[in-house]
Amino acid sequence: MEASFKIQDFLNFRRVINNIDIRSKIFDLSDESDYQFIEAPRLNIYQKLTLCELIQLRELVNGTHFAIELNSLLHEVLYQESELI
C-alpha cells in the first residue's frame, strides 16, 4: 500500500495508530482481536491488518515521524548557521 499525506493528516493518522492498544489485543484470545481495521479518511484507505502488520505499520509511521522531525531540525539549524555567516 502506498499513501501520500498532508502533514496534519499524517499526524492524525499517527495518533490513531499509536492509540491502538496492541498489548490488550495480544492477550485477547478472541478472533476479532487478531485484526484491526485501519482507516485514512481523506485517502479513502480502509485496510484490515493483522497484529504483525499493525506493529510494522506503527514502526513505519513512527520512523517517518522521526525523519520528519529530524529534517525539520536540520533545516532550522542550517538556516540559523547561514544567517550567522
Side-chain angles (χ1 to χ4, degrees), residues 29-47:
L29 299 178
S30 68
D31 290 339
E32 296 84 31
S33 66
D34 292 340
Y35 297 93
Q36 177 74 35
F37 287 97
I38 301 299
E39 183 177 8
R42 293 185 190 212
L43 298 175
N44 295 326
I45 295 174
Y46 192 69
Q47 285 288 114

Side-chain angles (χ1 to χ4, degrees), residues 7-9 13 16 19 21-22 28 32 37 41 45 48 50 55-59 61-62 79 83:
I7 190 66
Q8 193 59 44
D9 294 336
F13 183 70
V16 167
N19 283 336
D21 187 6
I22 293 176
D28 186 349
E32 296 84 31
F37 287 97
I45 295 174
K48 180 180 177 181
T50 65
I55 291 168
Q56 291 171 346
L57 177 62
R58 181 180 281 186
E59 289 176 2
V61 167
N62 287 327
Y79 180 73
E83 286 182 340

